[in-house]
């Protein structure tokens, strides 16, 4: 019933133009960076080896800018910790503002660095069921128009896209499960997969929650089917959550068996210490967490295409535990994640030294 999953390597092909990393260092800034931020960051951030992880490291990201500021202020220890985040590729989340321009800027910068963009769609109507990240497109028609703008922004450049974190699991678990809303959401997710898969070099993963949310993989099979998993390259697990990599792999393998052997990716951005046990809103800015495995396509598991940092480490989950608005950069939380991560050396790992030009 389902097509076999295309491997990540085949999906990429040769990762676009070799306009050389020098072009990136000459001044490509992040979409949300102040003018000139990218050029300043070039001296502190370099691309990871393609053979380890082919995704673009943004030299103008929040962690890179914070590390430069701290270093300039003489806080070298803080800067060193933040480079554990700054030196890794993290996803760009596409919201309602300037979808075409945002997608184009990120994919162009990635292509200029001979890397691939990692993007997240996050604008489904009734997003987050009215919780901390509430919002989304005003209607199904508005969402489809927004989606088309993103597709035009990506064009023929290489990109991997995670489709709508939480949208499917919220629907399955009942948080956004009114019959009319449920049917519309499945159609919109399927439309997103179909539209993106028309692009020549775009890999697509449907978000499927995490092992502690919808615990029965069988409960996700039909919803994933209705949301277009057959046409997608696979599904994503643990986005913005803290479940261990081992539990995600076990859960993902069971789910894969129910959806035609589809491959999957795991968000390891903040799962180094696993989830916080007990208490309310354990998913929202929990203390004592740590960065997880660095992004890589070398997972050692045939079905696991990559470990990715989909949630941007250091950005708040919402206004809980003293945190700012969801998605806002929170340097103290970023520092906690980095300090609690043993053995992380960010961009300074041996693989980066040995394979810088790969």
């Amino acid at each position: 019933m389902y097509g076999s999953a295309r491997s990540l390597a085949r999906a990429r092909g040769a990762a676009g133009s070799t306009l050389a990393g020098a072009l990136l260092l000459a001044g490509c800034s992040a979409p949300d960076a102040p003018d000139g931020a990218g050029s300043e960051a070039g001296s502190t951030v370099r691309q990871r080896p393609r053979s380890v992880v082919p995704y673009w490291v943004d030299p103008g990201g929040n962690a890179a800018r914070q590390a430069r500021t701290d270093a300039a202020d003489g806080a070298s220890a803080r800067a060193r910790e933040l480079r554990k985040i700054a030196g890794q590729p993290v996803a760009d989340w596409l919201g309602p503002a300037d979808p075409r321009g945002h997608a184009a800027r990120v994919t162009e910068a990635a292509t200029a660095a001979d890397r691939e963009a990692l993007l997240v769609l996050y604008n489904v109507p009734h997003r987050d069921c009215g919780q901390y990240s509430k919002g989304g497109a005003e209607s199904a028609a508005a969402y489809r128009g927004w989606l088309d703008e993103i597709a035009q922004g990506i064009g023929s450049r290489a990109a991997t896209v995670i489709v709508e974190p939480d949208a499917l699991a919220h629907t399955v678990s009942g948080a956004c499960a009114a019959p009319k809303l449920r049917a519309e959401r499945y159609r919109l997710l399927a439309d997103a997969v179909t539209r993106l898969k028309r692009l020549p070099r775009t890999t697509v993963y449907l978000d499927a929650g995490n092992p502690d949310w919808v615990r029965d993989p069988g409960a996700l099979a039909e919803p994933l089917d209705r949301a277009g998993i057959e046409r997608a390259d696979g599904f994503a697990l643990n986005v913005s959550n803290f479940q261990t990599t081992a539990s995600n792999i076990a859960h993902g393998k069971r789910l894969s068996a129910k959806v035609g052997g589809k491959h999957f990716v795991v968000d390891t951005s903040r799962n180094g210490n696993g989830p916080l046990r007990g208490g309310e809103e354990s998913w929202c800015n929990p203390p004592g967490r740590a960065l997880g495995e660095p992004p890589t396509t070398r997972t050692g598991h045939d079905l696991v295409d990559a470990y990715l940092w989909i949630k941007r480490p250091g950005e708040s989950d919402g206004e809980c535990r003293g945190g700012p608005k969801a998605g806002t950069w929170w340097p103290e939380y970023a520092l906690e994640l980095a300090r609690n991560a043993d053995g992380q050396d960010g961009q300074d790992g041996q693989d980066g030294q040995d394979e810088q030009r790969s």
Side-chain angles (χ1 to χ4, degrees):
M1 169 166 129
Y2 300 93
S4 61
R6 181 179 63 180
S7 72
L8 215 56
R10 289 198 303 273
R12 293 186 193 103
S17 165
T18 54
L19 296 180
L23 179 60
L24 177 64
L25 302 185
C28 290
S29 61
D32 58 350
D35 291 343
S39 57
E40 293 179 19
S43 62
T44 60
V45 171
R46 62 182 183 232
Q47 299 305 312
R48 304 301 291 158
R50 283 182 51 81
S51 59
V52 175
V53 61
Y55 296 108
W56 178 55
V57 179
D58 179 2
N62 288 323
R65 296 201 301 269
Q66 187 74 54
R68 290 196 306 276
T69 297
D70 288 345
D73 290 343
S76 57
R78 282 174 57 102
R80 184 168 55 252
E81 294 293 344
L82 286 168
R83 281 196 289 269
K84 295 176 184 178
I85 299 171
Q88 299 291 351
V90 299
D92 271 86
W93 290 56
L94 305 177
D98 190 21
R100 183 172 183 173
H102 192 168
R105 285 191 296 271
V106 176
T107 54
E108 287 168 0
T111 299
D114 193 26
R115 293 299 185 272
E116 179 175 344
L118 180 61
L119 304 171
V120 180
L121 300 189
Y122 198 54
N123 194 38
V124 72
H126 310 286
R127 189 182 69 196
D128 202 32
C129 299
Q131 300 182 73
Y132 289 123
S133 295
K134 64 184 177 182
E138 293 183 358
S139 66
Y143 184 80
R144 292 186 177 101
W146 172 84
L147 179 63
D148 194 60
E149 289 288 309
I150 287 173
Q152 292 180 57
I154 296 171
S156 62
R157 292 177 288 272
T160 289
V161 183
I162 311 300
V163 174
E164 297 295 347
D166 300 345
L168 191 75
H170 265 145
T171 306
V172 173
S173 65
C176 286
K180 184 177 179 180
L181 174 58
R182 184 188 305 119
E184 176 187 85
R185 180 161 290 187
Y186 289 145
R187 285 195 299 269
L188 291 178
L189 294 174
D191 287 348
V193 173
T194 298
R195 182 65 181 91
L196 292 169
K197 289 306 297 177
R198 291 177 189 157
L199 301 175
R201 300 174 64 212
T202 296
T203 303
V204 179
Y205 295 95
L206 269 168
D207 185 74
N210 66 72
D212 197 45
W213 191 348
V214 181
R215 297 182 180 183
D216 175 14
L220 288 164
E222 182 183 355
L224 279 168
D225 187 16
R226 295 180 63 183
I229 190 65
E230 181 177 7
R231 295 181 296 280
D233 294 276
F235 55 91
L237 295 175
N238 206 46
V239 174
S240 299
N241 211 272
F242 304 85
Q243 306 304 312
T244 66
T245 302
S247 68
N248 276 283
I249 291 173
H251 180 78
K253 288 180 176 179
R254 292 193 296 271
L255 180 54
S256 174
K258 296 181 181 298
V259 290
K262 286 289 183 177
H263 288 209
F264 59 97
V265 296
V266 178
D267 185 352
T268 59
S269 58
R270 306 184 299 174
N271 71 346
N273 285 344
L276 179 69
R277 299 299 181 186
E280 295 183 2
E281 295 189 332
S282 60
W283 53 270
C284 190
N285 301 323
R289 302 311 95 195
L291 301 173
E293 288 95 340
T296 184
T297 53
R298 296 176 176 178
T299 67
H301 297 270
D302 290 342
L303 289 173
V304 186
D305 285 344
Y307 301 143
L308 302 175
W309 285 8
I310 300 171
K311 170 68 177 182
R312 299 166 67 87
E315 292 188 0
S316 176
D317 294 313
E319 295 169 290
C320 59
R321 297 188 170 90
K325 184 178 178 181
T328 302
W329 171 247
W330 187 8
E332 295 308 317
Y333 197 71
L335 280 167
E336 181 180 4
L337 292 169
R339 286 167 174 160
N340 290 341
D342 294 331
Q344 297 268 2
D345 54 8
Q347 64 185 4
D348 300 320
Q350 188 63 44
D351 59 358
Q353 298 173 21
D354 291 347
E355 304 183 59
Q356 189 59 43
R357 290 182 293 275
S358 62

